[in-house]
Amino acid sequence: MRPMATDPNRFQAIISHCKEYGFIFPSSEIYDGLQAVYDYGQWGSELKKNIKDYWWKSMVQLHENIVGIDAAIFMHPTIWKASGHVDNFNDPMIDNKDSKKRYRVDHLIETKAEEMRNEGRNDEADGLIDEMDKLLSTDDFDGLRQLIINQGIKCPISKTANWTEVRQFNLMFSTQIGSVSDEASEIYLRPETAQGIFVNFLNVQKTGRLKIPFGIAQIGKAFRNEIVARQFIFRMREFEQMEMQYFIRPGTQKEWYESWKEERMKWHLSLGISKEKYRFHDHVKLAHYADAACDIEYEFPIGFKEVEGIHSRTDFDLKNHQEYSKKKMQYFDSEINQNYIPYVIETSIGLDRMFLLIISEAYAEEDLSTAEKQDSRVVLRLPSKIAPMKLAILPLVKKDGLPEIARKIMDDCKTHFRCFYEEKDTIGKRYRRMDAIGTPFCVTVDQQTKQDNTVTIRYRDTMQQERIPADKVREVVLKEINT
Ligand code: GAP
């Protein structure tokens, strides 16, 4: 296994860039922020929407047997009993008695393993993770505490190893619905979008006349009271998921699980990201609903981390909803003349994590110095199809009829894709600003345009420029963003 490449400086630079260029702001910043909650700014929300659309298109539009829904965040509280989240959606936590800070046990141990890898002690790190996985899979909390103590793991705040016992901590947020504050009105903010799909399974199947195998997809907010939430948008308390539940005949789960693993990895690679940056990680400790599960991990600047989960969820959810709701969750399979509760393969990707992945992959600091002068740029090499802004239209000067020509190009393009118009500052500064938000094309309108109706098109990644007819701009950009 090659050493884990972590680069805290690069991670910090990406966070700063996201703020400086209107991608992501800390939530409620003027009140000093709210931990692990973030707002997407003007370019961030645009990029996020493009990632969503790209996922939706590949999952729903390109699969005839997958449909999408948009379920409510508030759901009947019994759903979370049936799904197992009330009893099982816990993380083992440990508190440091001196700093009074609480930590997720697995995060403390993973950080230690990462330190070992950074020192080249890869075998030791692998051994530590294996031991942790074993203890987690048997809920051996005393063993986990002992492991933390044996490894000399200290609280990053107090720098002491004065630890409490390991305890379970439920991650769901609860709130009250209605005006009477009794126990019956307590509800939860959904910790996953999947349950909205399960409880609508028969509504969708019947009204859509769907035959197994078929899928239901959904994009929406989920909420978890994460304890250690200090990795920017990697781990948030309010985040978005893009999930798909694929309903199948019992007994076919192994082949569908493998097939969705492959298909989802292809989706990631279709964004032009190299294979080496990805790996699968099989779960040792399975979630309460799964008979097989793995993560798709990406090598973030903070190391290889989960971006998507593929889970074989058996009939766990539908069976439990049948039991708790007393409503039949069965499907009649006319091909084999049998009634059964379908099995489910789930693909679940965090939209915010995918955003972080895309930005991490795209962010580049380039030295452009020549013998004559020092120069550099920060560029987001975003895939054109998901870049927030596709084209910048820049008249070289604010006079001589150039803005009018530029506006015409803008009018020709803006109903087809997102365009940006700017007259201010030198052309060099305007290019740099577009590089920093990842705009793949800039066109400049100059005096020559008035003579031969050509413009200069500049390509973000190569910075090369060429002259093309002004009335070809739309076609050139459309060709690129549609491939
Ligand atoms: N329905 C299955 C499910 O929710 P999960 O592995 O807990 O499975 C799926 O979550 C994905 O949601 C993860 O792979 C991750 O990308 C994203 N995710 C989970 N917790 C998150 C958090 N606190 N902040 C941001 N994304 C999160």
Side-chain angles (χ1 to χ4, degrees):
M1 196 190 273
R2 71 193 173 111
M4 194 175 289
T6 59
D7 187 346
N9 293 338
R10 182 174 159 79
F11 195 53
Q12 273 315 315
I14 290 169
I15 296 172
S16 306
H17 188 84
C18 280
K19 174 146 192 256
E20 193 180 338
Y21 285 92
F23 284 88
I24 297 173
F25 308 120
S27 159
S28 326
E29 197 186 7
I30 57 168
Y31 293 96
D32 298 331
L34 186 64
Q35 230 200 358
V37 187
Y38 290 90
D39 297 337
Y40 285 81
Q42 65 277 29
W43 307 137
S45 56
E46 203 72 54
L47 174 57
K48 192 175 172 198
K49 182 183 170 301
N50 292 346
I51 298 171
K52 272 195 237 191
D53 290 347
Y54 188 62
W55 183 86
W56 191 265
K57 186 173 175 192
S58 69
M59 296 301 268
V60 179
Q61 190 175 327
L62 298 181
H63 286 95
E64 288 172 29
N65 65 342
I66 300 182
V67 294
I69 64 163
D70 183 11
I73 288 171
F74 291 149
M75 303 177 81
H76 195 285
T78 311
I79 285 172
W80 305 110
K81 251 331 238 181
S83 70
H85 283 82
V86 171
D87 296 324
N88 298 314
F89 196 50
N90 304 311
D91 274 332
M93 302 285 178
I94 193 164
D95 292 31
N96 182 271
K97 291 183 196 165
D98 300 320
S99 67
K100 311 272 185 270
K101 289 277 171 202
R102 181 168 291 165
Y103 298 94
R104 257 177 70 168
V105 164
D106 56 336
H107 289 172
L108 276 181
I109 298 172
E110 276 166 7
T111 306
K112 178 75 184 178
E114 233 166 83
E115 281 167 24
M116 289 171 166
R117 288 206 171 91
N118 290 339
E119 292 162 10
R121 294 153 62 201
N122 292 336
D123 290 348
E124 265 182 81
D126 290 346
L128 178 59
I129 295 295
D130 283 350
E131 199 172 342
M132 174 186 80
D133 282 343
K134 263 189 228 132
L135 295 167
L136 282 171
S137 66
T138 52
D139 284 339
D140 183 347
F141 298 147
D142 290 342
L144 283 164
R145 180 172 187 272
Q146 204 49 52
L147 185 63
I148 287 173
I149 289 166
N150 292 349
Q151 289 296 330
I153 296 175
K154 297 199 171 118
C155 164
I157 311 280
S158 68
K159 315 275 184 234
T160 69
N162 196 5
W163 298 111
T164 60
E165 298 305 304
V166 171
R167 280 184 295 251
Q168 294 280 48
F169 183 88
N170 194 288
L171 299 182
M172 282 196 294
F173 283 103
S174 65
T175 185
Q176 306 283 325
I177 199 162
S179 53
V180 188
S181 64
D182 57 16
E183 218 189 290
S185 62
E186 185 182 42
I187 57 165
Y188 299 100
L189 297 188
R190 66 182 178 196
E192 61 169 10
T193 57
Q195 296 305 323
I197 293 178
F198 287 122
V199 298
N200 279 297
F201 151 71
L202 277 183
N203 282 340
V204 176
Q205 187 270 320
K206 286 189 174 141
T207 55
R209 299 158 55 81
L210 296 166
K211 275 192 170 2
I212 268 175
F214 71 90
I216 305 179
Q218 178 170 217
I219 300 176
K221 291 263 183 174
F223 303 83
R224 296 182 189 178
N225 198 2
E226 299 284 0
I227 293 305
V228 180
R230 57 180 152 74
Q231 287 165 324
F232 191 38
I233 57 167
F234 182 80
R235 198 174 303 285
M236 299 157 89
R237 295 197 167 117
E238 173 181 341
F239 58 99
E240 242 172 300
Q241 290 184 316
M242 305 191 285
E243 298 202 300
M244 193 277 302
Q245 316 298 131
Y246 203 66
F247 297 90
I248 55 172
R249 208 177 268 171
T252 61
Q253 64 269 31
K254 275 207 172 70
E255 63 202 75
W256 282 117
Y257 174 66
E258 291 306 326
S259 147
W260 276 108
K261 268 175 77 172
E262 198 182 312
E263 180 136 356
R264 290 304 303 148
M265 186 57 97
K266 267 197 209 147
W267 181 86
H268 284 270
L269 301 180
S270 74
L271 284 162
I273 300 161
S274 86
K275 235 181 171 165
E276 285 65 46
K277 295 283 228 149
Y278 281 106
R279 70 183 186 194
F280 282 110
H281 173 255
D282 292 324
H283 288 198
V284 179
K285 180 172 165 43
L286 292 170
H288 55 273
Y289 49 71
D291 75 350
C294 68
D295 298 332
I296 294 179
E297 293 186 340
Y298 168 80
E299 190 176 25
F300 289 95
I302 45 175
F304 267 104
K305 304 245 176 239
E306 170 188 353
V307 62
E308 173 158 7
I310 321 278
H311 311 127
S312 173
R313 286 181 85 129
T314 67
D315 57 356
F316 176 90
D317 301 87
L318 291 180
K319 206 163 76 188
N320 278 3
H321 286 309
Q322 174 166 293
E323 191 185 319
Y324 278 79
S325 69
K326 312 268 182 281
K327 307 274 168 17
K328 280 236 175 314
M329 285 288 164
Q330 286 191 331
Y331 165 85
F332 178 68
D333 191 331
S334 55
E335 270 179 40
I336 53 171
N337 216 16
Q338 259 181 35
N339 268 310
Y340 55 78
I341 296 181
Y343 269 42
V344 170
I345 304 297
E346 164 182 75
T347 71
S348 173
I349 177 168
L351 175 55
D352 311 271
R353 277 195 200 172
M354 193 59 207
F355 185 108
L356 184 59
L357 184 161
I358 292 286
I359 290 271
S360 304
E361 189 68 21
Y363 180 86
E365 292 171 8
E366 293 179 354
D367 184 358
L368 307 173
S369 300
T370 57
E372 290 77 46
K373 75 171 178 125
Q374 288 219 317
D375 197 8
S376 66
R377 70 166 180 166
V378 172
V379 54
L380 290 186
R381 295 171 172 275
L382 295 168
S384 302
K385 53 190 161 204
I386 57 169
M389 192 61 69
K390 311 297 186 199
L391 172 70
I393 301 161
L394 315 169
L396 194 61
V397 289
K398 268 195 262 182
K399 53 182 185 184
D400 302 339
L402 301 189
E404 288 74 13
I405 302 173
R407 282 281 174 202
K408 262 197 184 154
I409 301 174
M410 182 90 182
D411 289 343
D412 186 40
C413 294
K414 73 180 181 195
T415 53
H416 297 269
F417 44 79
R418 195 85 160 78
C419 304
F420 188 81
Y421 178 87
E422 196 174 38
E423 296 174 344
K424 229 177 121 230
D425 279 332
T426 63
I427 199 71
K429 277 192 184 153
R430 284 184 267 170
Y431 283 157
R432 287 292 184 276
R433 280 201 291 269
M434 286 301 113
D435 288 344
I437 65 164
T439 306
F441 306 99
C442 292
V443 294
T444 307
V445 176
D446 55 18
Q447 300 296 345
Q448 193 183 327
T449 313
K450 288 207 292 190
Q451 289 152 22
D452 61 8
N453 201 30
T454 63
V455 291
T456 302
I457 185 161
R458 175 198 183 258
Y459 301 96
R460 177 198 66 202
D461 293 348
T462 59
M463 292 188 290
Q464 282 186 342
Q465 304 184 10
E466 60 178 329
R467 288 207 81 90
I468 60 165
D471 53 14
K472 283 262 179 274
V473 171
R474 185 173 87 192
E475 190 184 318
V476 169
V477 177
L478 273 177
K479 185 163 171 253
E480 184 71 20
I481 62 180
N482 287 330
T483 50

